[in-house]
Every structure is written in C-alpha cells, then in structure tokens.
C-alpha cells in the first residue's frame, strides 16, 4: 500500500485541483487527508464524500500529523511565514517527508534568494535544511514548475483582455518556464510515488511543462488563439519596487508582497534551469500553445 498523505491549505487555489488529482490516483495511497480548521470543515464536504479524510486541527499542533508519512503544504502568501512551525509540528507528529509550498520558480538562482516575494519560501528552505541535519530520517521534496500558464497569462501581468494591451513590469525577451495547472498537480502527486534515491534527504523535481518561452511568444500565442493582435509595452520594474517599499513603510504586508510579485515574473525568475526531470514521469505535459488555445481559443 502507498503512503498516507496530509495536505495543508487544501481549500486554496492550488489545493482544490490537487485534491482532485489525488482522488484520481486514490488507489495508490493508503490515506489521503486534508487538514481543516474547525471553523472551515464544511468546505471539504464534497471531497469527504469522495473518500478524502478530514483531519480537524491546527497545522501548528503535532497531533494533527500523527499517522501520516507525507505532508504537502500549500500555504498561500499570508500563511507562508508559518511554515517553519508546520515543519516542527509535523516532525514532532512523526512525519518524515515534507513538501514545502514551492511550486514555482527556482528561488536559489541569481538574486531571487534576496527577493521579498520569495522571503518566506527561503526561510522555509533554510529551516528544512537545518531539520534534515538534525533528523537523519527526515526528507523533503521541492517541486519546481515555473509560473503556471494560467497565472502567467493573466491580468496580474498587465494583460487587458478587452483592450488587447499588455503592460507588464519587466524587460524584453526574458525567458520563463510555464506549466499548465493540471500538469502541476500530476507532477506533485506522481512525485510522491517515486522513491527517494539512496540516503538522500533532499530532492528536487524540475518539471516545467514548457521549459523555455519568452513573454513576447506567450503574448503572440494569446493573440493567435483569440484572433487579435496585442500591443505590448513594458513598465519599469523600479516603479513596482517603489510601490513595494511604500507598502512596507505603511505596514501593509499584503500590498508589499503583491508589488514584489508584480516585478518577479518577467525578469528571469520563472525560468527553471536544466537539468529537468520531466522524463521521470509517464505523461506528456501540455505546451504553452496548447494551454493558451484551450483557455482562450475561439474554436
Ligand atoms: N507558479 C505559480 O504560478 C503559482 C500560482 C499559484 C500558486 N503558486 C504556489 O502554490 C502555493 C499555494 O498557493 P495558493 O494560491 O493555493 O494559495 P492560497 O489560495 O492563497 O492559500 C492556500 C491556503 O493557505 C491557507 N491560508 C491562507 N492564509 C492563511 C492565514 N492567514 N492563516 C492560515 N492559513 C492561511 C489557507 O488554508 P486553510 O483554508 O486551510 O486555512 C488556504 O487554503 C504557494 O506556494 C504559491 O506560491 C504558484
């Protein structure tokens, strides 16, 4: 029988499709469970009917984790800074394999390690590395996909779908890797079923659906899918940085992270450097063109 998995943050944007993917592969797992705040249990009624267990409790309490082999954290930006506490509680509860809330670019590249947008992911990675030294049987997995295609081609990056204009913060010809959300879910679930190599305690799966594409190419694909032409003009990332700093001074953390995020997509942070691990999985991911056609195509 496969492992028992507990998902944290299962009600979020990534959590919902991830639970659906786990259900598709249910027979491979001994238990699939979501951790729910007592006040929010009803959100999981549908999943529960389909065979997902609901564990009621706090992600900072060791007892929530008892009996689980693997924890997948999908903490959103607001909860990201609490992940070291989750790791502590999970280890105390007996968990020996942790998936931190990553599922994006490779934050260890260049100066992204210093970028505010990734700060709490960095702190979590540091904490996991320290715990791995302390507990020789503790392991963790990073799943790196680059931006989800659905999030990249969105108004967040300055696309106006009515006026057919694009005004992102960034620089021309920056490359990124993109992955369709459904494929991200398949990589996460599939990776849990791949055994760890030998005595390793950390592993990465670098699995972008499309390894390299420029923003210009994505915008062209969008225009082709819709049969229109988009006008693209870059905004200066320093403007976003100034707004980020202003929000920080005002103590508005949500805005601070929002503006930090605006400036990261088109500066190379979304590109997953090789070597890639897609061939360790048995499916072919969607290309950017296929996803954009599926989402925006007129046919
Ligand atoms: N590469 C990409 O393009 C991309 C796109 C989207 C997301 N992601 C990544 O995927 C991961 C999950 O993101 P998401 O969009 O699914 O996040 P989300 O929807 O914002 O939140 C996920 C979960 O975090 C928990 N949460 C949020 N605020 C909280 C708070 N203040 N206190 C306690 N819990 C809180 C909630 O769980 P409960 O309901 O259980 O409280 C929520 O369901 C992140 O690492 C994110 O960076 C990547």
């Amino acid at each position: 029988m496969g492992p028992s998995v507990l998902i944290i943050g299962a009600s979020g944007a990534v959590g919902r499709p991830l639970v659906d993917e786990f259900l598709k592969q249910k027979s491979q797992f001994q238990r699939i469970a979501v951790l729910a705040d007592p006040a929010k249990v009803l959100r999981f009624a549908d999943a529960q009917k389909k065979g997902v267990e609901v564990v009621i409790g706090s992600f900072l309490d060791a007892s929530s984790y008892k009996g689980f082999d693997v924890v997948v954290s999908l903490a959103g930006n607001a909860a990201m800074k609490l992940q070291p506490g989750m790791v502590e509680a999970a280890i105390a509860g007996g968990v020996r394999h942790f998936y931190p809330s990553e599922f994006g670019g490779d934050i260890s590249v260049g100066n992204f390690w210093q970028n505010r947008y990734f700060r709490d992911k960095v702190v979590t990675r540091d904490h996991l590395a320290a715990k791995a030294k302390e507990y020789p049987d503790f392991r963790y997995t990073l799943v790196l996909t680059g931006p989800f295609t659905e999030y990249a081609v969105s108004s967040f990056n300055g696309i106006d779908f009515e006026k057919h204009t694009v005004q992102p913060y960034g620089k021309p010809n920056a490359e990124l890797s993109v992955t369709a959300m459904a494929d991200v879910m398949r990589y996460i679930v599939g990776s849990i079923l791949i055994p760890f190599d030998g005595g390793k305690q950390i592993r990465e799966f670098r699995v972008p659906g499309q390894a390299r594409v420029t923003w210009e190419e994505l915008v062209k694909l969008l225009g082709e899918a819709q049969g229109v032409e988009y006008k693209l003009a870059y905004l200066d990332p320093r403007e976003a940085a100034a707004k980020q700093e202003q929000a920080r001074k005002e103590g508005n953390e949500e805005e601070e992270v929002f503006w930090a995020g605006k400036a990261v997509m088109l500066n190379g942070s979304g590109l997953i450097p090789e070597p890639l691990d897609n061939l360790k999985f048995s499916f072919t991911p969607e290309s950017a063109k296929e996803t954009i056609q599926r989402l925006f195509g007129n046919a």
Side-chain angles (χ1 to χ4, degrees), residues 64-99:
S64 302
Y65 298 88
K66 287 231 154 71
F68 291 99
D69 306 304
V70 184
V71 165
V72 180
S73 166
L74 303 169
N77 282 337
M80 201 74 77
K81 65 171 83 57
L82 302 174
Q83 280 197 115
M86 292 177 200
V87 173
E88 291 291 326
I91 291 174
V95 170
R96 287 297 178 266
H97 187 178
F98 198 93
Y99 277 65

PDB file of all heavy atoms in Angstrom, residues 64-99:
ATOM      1  N   SER A  64      -2.012  16.821  14.928  1.00  0.00           N
ATOM      2  CA  SER A  64      -2.682  16.842  13.616  1.00  0.00           C
ATOM      3  C   SER A  64      -1.979  15.926  12.611  1.00  0.00           C
ATOM      4  O   SER A  64      -2.575  15.494  11.627  1.00  0.00           O
ATOM      5  CB  SER A  64      -2.691  18.264  13.041  1.00  0.00           C
ATOM      6  OG  SER A  64      -3.320  19.159  13.910  1.00  0.00           O
ATOM      7  N   TYR A  65      -0.709  15.671  12.844  1.00  0.00           N
ATOM      8  CA  TYR A  65       0.113  14.978  11.844  1.00  0.00           C
ATOM      9  C   TYR A  65       0.297  13.482  12.136  1.00  0.00           C
ATOM     10  O   TYR A  65       0.906  12.775  11.342  1.00  0.00           O
ATOM     11  CB  TYR A  65       1.498  15.625  11.779  1.00  0.00           C
ATOM     12  CG  TYR A  65       1.472  17.076  11.351  1.00  0.00           C
ATOM     13  CD1 TYR A  65       1.324  18.105  12.280  1.00  0.00           C
ATOM     14  CD2 TYR A  65       1.583  17.425  10.009  1.00  0.00           C
ATOM     15  CE1 TYR A  65       1.296  19.436  11.895  1.00  0.00           C
ATOM     16  CE2 TYR A  65       1.561  18.756   9.614  1.00  0.00           C
ATOM     17  CZ  TYR A  65       1.419  19.757  10.566  1.00  0.00           C
ATOM     18  OH  TYR A  65       1.389  21.078  10.165  1.00  0.00           O
ATOM     19  N   LYS A  66      -0.212  13.034  13.261  1.00  0.00           N
ATOM     20  CA  LYS A  66       0.046  11.648  13.690  1.00  0.00           C
ATOM     21  C   LYS A  66      -0.503  10.657  12.675  1.00  0.00           C
ATOM     22  O   LYS A  66      -1.629  10.765  12.215  1.00  0.00           O
ATOM     23  CB  LYS A  66      -0.604  11.406  15.057  1.00  0.00           C
ATOM     24  CG  LYS A  66       0.157  12.103  16.184  1.00  0.00           C
ATOM     25  CD  LYS A  66       0.475  11.133  17.331  1.00  0.00           C
ATOM     26  CE  LYS A  66       1.686  11.556  18.112  1.00  0.00           C
ATOM     27  NZ  LYS A  66       1.521  12.729  18.946  1.00  0.00           N
ATOM     28  N   GLY A  67       0.328   9.683  12.305  1.00  0.00           N
ATOM     29  CA  GLY A  67      -0.132   8.629  11.396  1.00  0.00           C
ATOM     30  C   GLY A  67       0.103   8.932   9.923  1.00  0.00           C
ATOM     31  O   GLY A  67      -0.237   8.125   9.065  1.00  0.00           O
ATOM     32  N   PHE A  68       0.669  10.110   9.606  1.00  0.00           N
ATOM     33  CA  PHE A  68       0.919  10.442   8.195  1.00  0.00           C
ATOM     34  C   PHE A  68       2.402  10.318   7.846  1.00  0.00           C
ATOM     35  O   PHE A  68       3.267  10.621   8.663  1.00  0.00           O
ATOM     36  CB  PHE A  68       0.410  11.850   7.880  1.00  0.00           C
ATOM     37  CG  PHE A  68      -1.088  11.920   7.915  1.00  0.00           C
ATOM     38  CD1 PHE A  68      -1.748  12.397   9.039  1.00  0.00           C
ATOM     39  CD2 PHE A  68      -1.841  11.444   6.853  1.00  0.00           C
ATOM     40  CE1 PHE A  68      -3.125  12.414   9.096  1.00  0.00           C
ATOM     41  CE2 PHE A  68      -3.227  11.454   6.896  1.00  0.00           C
ATOM     42  CZ  PHE A  68      -3.869  11.938   8.024  1.00  0.00           C
ATOM     43  N   ASP A  69       2.645   9.837   6.619  1.00  0.00           N
ATOM     44  CA  ASP A  69       4.023   9.689   6.136  1.00  0.00           C
ATOM     45  C   ASP A  69       4.501  10.971   5.460  1.00  0.00           C
ATOM     46  O   ASP A  69       5.660  11.363   5.600  1.00  0.00           O
ATOM     47  CB  ASP A  69       4.102   8.559   5.089  1.00  0.00           C
ATOM     48  CG  ASP A  69       3.527   7.267   5.619  1.00  0.00           C
ATOM     49  OD1 ASP A  69       3.995   6.817   6.677  1.00  0.00           O
ATOM     50  OD2 ASP A  69       2.599   6.714   4.979  1.00  0.00           O
ATOM     51  N   VAL A  70       3.605  11.570   4.664  1.00  0.00           N
ATOM     52  CA  VAL A  70       3.988  12.703   3.815  1.00  0.00           C
ATOM     53  C   VAL A  70       3.046  13.874   4.086  1.00  0.00           C
ATOM     54  O   VAL A  70       1.830  13.679   4.198  1.00  0.00           O
ATOM     55  CB  VAL A  70       3.866  12.325   2.312  1.00  0.00           C
ATOM     56  CG1 VAL A  70       4.355  13.458   1.424  1.00  0.00           C
ATOM     57  CG2 VAL A  70       4.606  11.041   2.002  1.00  0.00           C
ATOM     58  N   VAL A  71       3.610  15.086   4.171  1.00  0.00           N
ATOM     59  CA  VAL A  71       2.793  16.300   4.267  1.00  0.00           C
ATOM     60  C   VAL A  71       3.078  17.167   3.053  1.00  0.00           C
ATOM     61  O   VAL A  71       4.245  17.388   2.701  1.00  0.00           O
ATOM     62  CB  VAL A  71       3.116  17.087   5.558  1.00  0.00           C
ATOM     63  CG1 VAL A  71       2.549  18.504   5.497  1.00  0.00           C
ATOM     64  CG2 VAL A  71       2.562  16.357   6.772  1.00  0.00           C
ATOM     65  N   VAL A  72       2.013  17.637   2.392  1.00  0.00           N
ATOM     66  CA  VAL A  72       2.159  18.596   1.296  1.00  0.00           C
ATOM     67  C   VAL A  72       1.597  19.919   1.783  1.00  0.00           C
ATOM     68  O   VAL A  72       0.406  20.008   2.118  1.00  0.00           O
ATOM     69  CB  VAL A  72       1.401  18.135   0.033  1.00  0.00           C
ATOM     70  CG1 VAL A  72       1.576  19.159  -1.089  1.00  0.00           C
ATOM     71  CG2 VAL A  72       1.865  16.760  -0.418  1.00  0.00           C
ATOM     72  N   SER A  73       2.442  20.943   1.853  1.00  0.00           N
ATOM     73  CA  SER A  73       1.989  22.265   2.284  1.00  0.00           C
ATOM     74  C   SER A  73       1.677  23.126   1.072  1.00  0.00           C
ATOM     75  O   SER A  73       2.510  23.282   0.171  1.00  0.00           O
ATOM     76  CB  SER A  73       3.060  22.957   3.127  1.00  0.00           C
ATOM     77  OG  SER A  73       2.733  24.334   3.252  1.00  0.00           O
ATOM     78  N   LEU A  74       0.479  23.698   1.076  1.00  0.00           N
ATOM     79  CA  LEU A  74       0.089  24.641   0.025  1.00  0.00           C
ATOM     80  C   LEU A  74      -0.199  26.001   0.643  1.00  0.00           C
ATOM     81  O   LEU A  74      -1.109  26.708   0.218  1.00  0.00           O
ATOM     82  CB  LEU A  74      -1.156  24.116  -0.703  1.00  0.00           C
ATOM     83  CG  LEU A  74      -0.996  22.736  -1.316  1.00  0.00           C
ATOM     84  CD1 LEU A  74      -2.330  22.197  -1.771  1.00  0.00           C
ATOM     85  CD2 LEU A  74      -0.021  22.783  -2.478  1.00  0.00           C
ATOM     86  N   ALA A  75       0.565  26.322   1.681  1.00  0.00           N
ATOM     87  CA  ALA A  75       0.361  27.618   2.332  1.00  0.00           C
ATOM     88  C   ALA A  75       0.404  28.724   1.285  1.00  0.00           C
ATOM     89  O   ALA A  75       1.287  28.758   0.431  1.00  0.00           O
ATOM     90  CB  ALA A  75       1.463  27.831   3.368  1.00  0.00           C
ATOM     91  N   GLY A  76      -0.562  29.623   1.345  1.00  0.00           N
ATOM     92  CA  GLY A  76      -0.549  30.788   0.467  1.00  0.00           C
ATOM     93  C   GLY A  76       0.370  31.856   1.043  1.00  0.00           C
ATOM     94  O   GLY A  76       0.964  31.659   2.113  1.00  0.00           O
ATOM     95  N   ASN A  77       0.461  32.992   0.348  1.00  0.00           N
ATOM     96  CA  ASN A  77       1.419  34.022   0.775  1.00  0.00           C
ATOM     97  C   ASN A  77       1.231  34.418   2.237  1.00  0.00           C
ATOM     98  O   ASN A  77       2.209  34.591   2.974  1.00  0.00           O
ATOM     99  CB  ASN A  77       1.298  35.259  -0.113  1.00  0.00           C
ATOM    100  CG  ASN A  77       1.987  35.028  -1.449  1.00  0.00           C
ATOM    101  OD1 ASN A  77       2.871  34.184  -1.549  1.00  0.00           O
ATOM    102  ND2 ASN A  77       1.567  35.754  -2.475  1.00  0.00           N
ATOM    103  N   ALA A  78      -0.027  34.545   2.676  1.00  0.00           N
ATOM    104  CA  ALA A  78      -0.272  35.026   4.039  1.00  0.00           C
ATOM    105  C   ALA A  78       0.207  34.029   5.097  1.00  0.00           C
ATOM    106  O   ALA A  78       0.653  34.420   6.169  1.00  0.00           O
ATOM    107  CB  ALA A  78      -1.754  35.319   4.227  1.00  0.00           C
ATOM    108  N   ALA A  79       0.117  32.733   4.780  1.00  0.00           N
ATOM    109  CA  ALA A  79       0.473  31.705   5.768  1.00  0.00           C
ATOM    110  C   ALA A  79       1.898  31.188   5.596  1.00  0.00           C
ATOM    111  O   ALA A  79       2.379  30.390   6.403  1.00  0.00           O
ATOM    112  CB  ALA A  79      -0.507  30.544   5.673  1.00  0.00           C
ATOM    113  N   MET A  80       2.575  31.672   4.558  1.00  0.00           N
ATOM    114  CA  MET A  80       3.896  31.114   4.194  1.00  0.00           C
ATOM    115  C   MET A  80       4.902  31.223   5.346  1.00  0.00           C
ATOM    116  O   MET A  80       5.701  30.327   5.574  1.00  0.00           O
ATOM    117  CB  MET A  80       4.425  31.888   2.980  1.00  0.00           C
ATOM    118  CG  MET A  80       5.474  31.192   2.189  1.00  0.00           C
ATOM    119  SD  MET A  80       4.820  29.862   1.190  1.00  0.00           S
ATOM    120  CE  MET A  80       4.078  30.726  -0.173  1.00  0.00           C
ATOM    121  N   LYS A  81       4.830  32.318   6.071  1.00  0.00           N
ATOM    122  CA  LYS A  81       5.836  32.519   7.132  1.00  0.00           C
ATOM    123  C   LYS A  81       5.640  31.542   8.291  1.00  0.00           C
ATOM    124  O   LYS A  81       6.517  31.404   9.135  1.00  0.00           O
ATOM    125  CB  LYS A  81       5.812  33.966   7.634  1.00  0.00           C
ATOM    126  CG  LYS A  81       4.533  34.377   8.334  1.00  0.00           C
ATOM    127  CD  LYS A  81       4.666  35.734   9.002  1.00  0.00           C
ATOM    128  CE  LYS A  81       4.440  36.906   8.085  1.00  0.00           C
ATOM    129  NZ  LYS A  81       3.120  36.899   7.420  1.00  0.00           N
ATOM    130  N   LEU A  82       4.487  30.871   8.303  1.00  0.00           N
ATOM    131  CA  LEU A  82       4.224  29.915   9.393  1.00  0.00           C
ATOM    132  C   LEU A  82       4.760  28.522   9.075  1.00  0.00           C
ATOM    133  O   LEU A  82       4.664  27.618   9.908  1.00  0.00           O
ATOM    134  CB  LEU A  82       2.713  29.843   9.657  1.00  0.00           C
ATOM    135  CG  LEU A  82       2.060  31.173  10.022  1.00  0.00           C
ATOM    136  CD1 LEU A  82       0.552  31.023  10.127  1.00  0.00           C
ATOM    137  CD2 LEU A  82       2.626  31.704  11.340  1.00  0.00           C
ATOM    138  N   GLN A  83       5.321  28.359   7.879  1.00  0.00           N
ATOM    139  CA  GLN A  83       5.757  27.008   7.501  1.00  0.00           C
ATOM    140  C   GLN A  83       6.812  26.387   8.412  1.00  0.00           C
ATOM    141  O   GLN A  83       6.725  25.193   8.693  1.00  0.00           O
ATOM    142  CB  GLN A  83       6.245  26.984   6.051  1.00  0.00           C
ATOM    143  CG  GLN A  83       5.120  26.928   5.053  1.00  0.00           C
ATOM    144  CD  GLN A  83       5.585  26.491   3.690  1.00  0.00           C
ATOM    145  OE1 GLN A  83       5.206  25.446   3.201  1.00  0.00           O
ATOM    146  NE2 GLN A  83       6.419  27.290   3.085  1.00  0.00           N
ATOM    147  N   PRO A  84       7.823  27.151   8.896  1.00  0.00           N
ATOM    148  CA  PRO A  84       8.772  26.512   9.816  1.00  0.00           C
ATOM    149  C   PRO A  84       8.064  25.886  11.016  1.00  0.00           C
ATOM    150  O   PRO A  84       8.437  24.800  11.468  1.00  0.00           O
ATOM    151  CB  PRO A  84       9.711  27.658  10.212  1.00  0.00           C
ATOM    152  CG  PRO A  84       9.695  28.557   9.006  1.00  0.00           C
ATOM    153  CD  PRO A  84       8.259  28.519   8.521  1.00  0.00           C
ATOM    154  N   GLY A  85       7.026  26.553  11.507  1.00  0.00           N
ATOM    155  CA  GLY A  85       6.237  25.995  12.613  1.00  0.00           C
ATOM    156  C   GLY A  85       5.535  24.706  12.198  1.00  0.00           C
ATOM    157  O   GLY A  85       5.430  23.752  12.981  1.00  0.00           O
ATOM    158  N   MET A  86       5.051  24.674  10.963  1.00  0.00           N
ATOM    159  CA  MET A  86       4.404  23.445  10.455  1.00  0.00           C
ATOM    160  C   MET A  86       5.414  22.304  10.397  1.00  0.00           C
ATOM    161  O   MET A  86       5.104  21.165  10.735  1.00  0.00           O
ATOM    162  CB  MET A  86       3.881  23.656   9.025  1.00  0.00           C
ATOM    163  CG  MET A  86       2.742  24.601   8.891  1.00  0.00           C
ATOM    164  SD  MET A  86       2.351  24.776   7.121  1.00  0.00           S
ATOM    165  CE  MET A  86       1.446  26.321   7.170  1.00  0.00           C
ATOM    166  N   VAL A  87       6.615  22.624   9.931  1.00  0.00           N
ATOM    167  CA  VAL A  87       7.659  21.599   9.813  1.00  0.00           C
ATOM    168  C   VAL A  87       7.972  21.023  11.194  1.00  0.00           C
ATOM    169  O   VAL A  87       8.053  19.804  11.378  1.00  0.00           O
ATOM    170  CB  VAL A  87       8.930  22.190   9.155  1.00  0.00           C
ATOM    171  CG1 VAL A  87      10.069  21.187   9.176  1.00  0.00           C
ATOM    172  CG2 VAL A  87       8.631  22.647   7.731  1.00  0.00           C
ATOM    173  N   GLU A  88       8.118  21.920  12.176  1.00  0.00           N
ATOM    174  CA  GLU A  88       8.388  21.472  13.558  1.00  0.00           C
ATOM    175  C   GLU A  88       7.290  20.531  14.027  1.00  0.00           C
ATOM    176  O   GLU A  88       7.555  19.452  14.566  1.00  0.00           O
ATOM    177  CB  GLU A  88       8.425  22.682  14.514  1.00  0.00           C
ATOM    178  CG  GLU A  88       9.595  23.597  14.340  1.00  0.00           C
ATOM    179  CD  GLU A  88      10.909  22.954  14.777  1.00  0.00           C
ATOM    180  OE1 GLU A  88      10.900  22.162  15.725  1.00  0.00           O
ATOM    181  OE2 GLU A  88      11.940  23.236  14.138  1.00  0.00           O
ATOM    182  N   ALA A  89       6.037  20.977  13.860  1.00  0.00           N
ATOM    183  CA  ALA A  89       4.907  20.186  14.358  1.00  0.00           C
ATOM    184  C   ALA A  89       4.818  18.854  13.613  1.00  0.00           C
ATOM    185  O   ALA A  89       4.549  17.806  14.219  1.00  0.00           O
ATOM    186  CB  ALA A  89       3.617  20.982  14.201  1.00  0.00           C
ATOM    187  N   ALA A  90       5.050  18.892  12.300  1.00  0.00           N
ATOM    188  CA  ALA A  90       4.963  17.655  11.500  1.00  0.00           C
ATOM    189  C   ALA A  90       6.007  16.643  11.974  1.00  0.00           C
ATOM    190  O   ALA A  90       5.700  15.451  12.159  1.00  0.00           O
ATOM    191  CB  ALA A  90       5.156  17.982  10.020  1.00  0.00           C
ATOM    192  N   ILE A  91       7.228  17.117  12.196  1.00  0.00           N
ATOM    193  CA  ILE A  91       8.294  16.204  12.654  1.00  0.00           C
ATOM    194  C   ILE A  91       7.934  15.650  14.040  1.00  0.00           C
ATOM    195  O   ILE A  91       8.040  14.445  14.291  1.00  0.00           O
ATOM    196  CB  ILE A  91       9.666  16.921  12.660  1.00  0.00           C
ATOM    197  CG1 ILE A  91      10.110  17.195  11.221  1.00  0.00           C
ATOM    198  CG2 ILE A  91      10.715  16.072  13.383  1.00  0.00           C
ATOM    199  CD1 ILE A  91      11.381  18.017  11.098  1.00  0.00           C
ATOM    200  N   ALA A  92       7.468  16.529  14.911  1.00  0.00           N
ATOM    201  CA  ALA A  92       7.078  16.064  16.258  1.00  0.00           C
ATOM    202  C   ALA A  92       5.944  15.049  16.177  1.00  0.00           C
ATOM    203  O   ALA A  92       5.846  14.143  17.009  1.00  0.00           O
ATOM    204  CB  ALA A  92       6.673  17.259  17.121  1.00  0.00           C
ATOM    205  N   GLY A  93       5.098  15.191  15.161  1.00  0.00           N
ATOM    206  CA  GLY A  93       3.977  14.253  14.993  1.00  0.00           C
ATOM    207  C   GLY A  93       4.372  12.965  14.291  1.00  0.00           C
ATOM    208  O   GLY A  93       3.531  12.093  14.073  1.00  0.00           O
ATOM    209  N   GLY A  94       5.637  12.869  13.853  1.00  0.00           N
ATOM    210  CA  GLY A  94       6.118  11.613  13.258  1.00  0.00           C
ATOM    211  C   GLY A  94       6.275  11.636  11.743  1.00  0.00           C
ATOM    212  O   GLY A  94       6.683  10.638  11.148  1.00  0.00           O
ATOM    213  N   VAL A  95       5.962  12.764  11.099  1.00  0.00           N
ATOM    214  CA  VAL A  95       6.100  12.844   9.632  1.00  0.00           C
ATOM    215  C   VAL A  95       7.577  12.875   9.262  1.00  0.00           C
ATOM    216  O   VAL A  95       8.369  13.557   9.906  1.00  0.00           O
ATOM    217  CB  VAL A  95       5.391  14.124   9.108  1.00  0.00           C
ATOM    218  CG1 VAL A  95       5.723  14.368   7.642  1.00  0.00           C
ATOM    219  CG2 VAL A  95       3.891  14.007   9.318  1.00  0.00           C
ATOM    220  N   ARG A  96       7.937  12.158   8.212  1.00  0.00           N
ATOM    221  CA  ARG A  96       9.346  12.134   7.811  1.00  0.00           C
ATOM    222  C   ARG A  96       9.569  12.544   6.358  1.00  0.00           C
ATOM    223  O   ARG A  96      10.658  12.375   5.810  1.00  0.00           O
ATOM    224  CB  ARG A  96       9.942  10.737   8.076  1.00  0.00           C
ATOM    225  CG  ARG A  96      10.164  10.477   9.575  1.00  0.00           C
ATOM    226  CD  ARG A  96      11.185  11.464  10.151  1.00  0.00           C
ATOM    227  NE  ARG A  96      11.428  11.329  11.580  1.00  0.00           N
ATOM    228  CZ  ARG A  96      10.801  12.034  12.519  1.00  0.00           C
ATOM    229  NH1 ARG A  96       9.885  12.938  12.191  1.00  0.00           N
ATOM    230  NH2 ARG A  96      11.085  11.860  13.800  1.00  0.00           N
ATOM    231  N   HIS A  97       8.515  13.085   5.710  1.00  0.00           N
ATOM    232  CA  HIS A  97       8.672  13.568   4.335  1.00  0.00           C
ATOM    233  C   HIS A  97       7.767  14.787   4.159  1.00  0.00           C
ATOM    234  O   HIS A  97       6.542  14.684   4.316  1.00  0.00           O
ATOM    235  CB  HIS A  97       8.294  12.452   3.351  1.00  0.00           C
ATOM    236  CG  HIS A  97       8.595  12.801   1.923  1.00  0.00           C
ATOM    237  ND1 HIS A  97       8.371  11.930   0.884  1.00  0.00           N
ATOM    238  CD2 HIS A  97       9.114  13.918   1.352  1.00  0.00           C
ATOM    239  CE1 HIS A  97       8.728  12.493  -0.258  1.00  0.00           C
ATOM    240  NE2 HIS A  97       9.174  13.701   0.008  1.00  0.00           N
ATOM    241  N   PHE A  98       8.389  15.928   3.827  1.00  0.00           N
ATOM    242  CA  PHE A  98       7.648  17.198   3.764  1.00  0.00           C
ATOM    243  C   PHE A  98       7.797  17.825   2.380  1.00  0.00           C
ATOM    244  O   PHE A  98       8.896  17.892   1.836  1.00  0.00           O
ATOM    245  CB  PHE A  98       8.193  18.150   4.830  1.00  0.00           C
ATOM    246  CG  PHE A  98       7.283  19.294   5.170  1.00  0.00           C
ATOM    247  CD1 PHE A  98       6.381  19.203   6.224  1.00  0.00           C
ATOM    248  CD2 PHE A  98       7.323  20.474   4.435  1.00  0.00           C
ATOM    249  CE1 PHE A  98       5.530  20.259   6.541  1.00  0.00           C
ATOM    250  CE2 PHE A  98       6.476  21.528   4.744  1.00  0.00           C
ATOM    251  CZ  PHE A  98       5.584  21.427   5.806  1.00  0.00           C
ATOM    252  N   TYR A  99       6.679  18.286   1.812  1.00  0.00           N
ATOM    253  CA  TYR A  99       6.686  19.073   0.575  1.00  0.00           C
ATOM    254  C   TYR A  99       6.360  20.513   0.961  1.00  0.00           C
ATOM    255  O   TYR A  99       5.210  20.820   1.272  1.00  0.00           O
ATOM    256  CB  TYR A  99       5.605  18.582  -0.395  1.00  0.00           C
ATOM    257  CG  TYR A  99       5.969  17.411  -1.246  1.00  0.00           C
ATOM    258  CD1 TYR A  99       6.224  16.165  -0.686  1.00  0.00           C
ATOM    259  CD2 TYR A  99       6.039  17.530  -2.640  1.00  0.00           C
ATOM    260  CE1 TYR A  99       6.551  15.076  -1.478  1.00  0.00           C
ATOM    261  CE2 TYR A  99       6.366  16.447  -3.439  1.00  0.00           C
ATOM    262  CZ  TYR A  99       6.617  15.234  -2.854  1.00  0.00           C
ATOM    263  OH  TYR A  99       6.936  14.154  -3.646  1.00  0.00           O
TER     264      TYR A  99
END
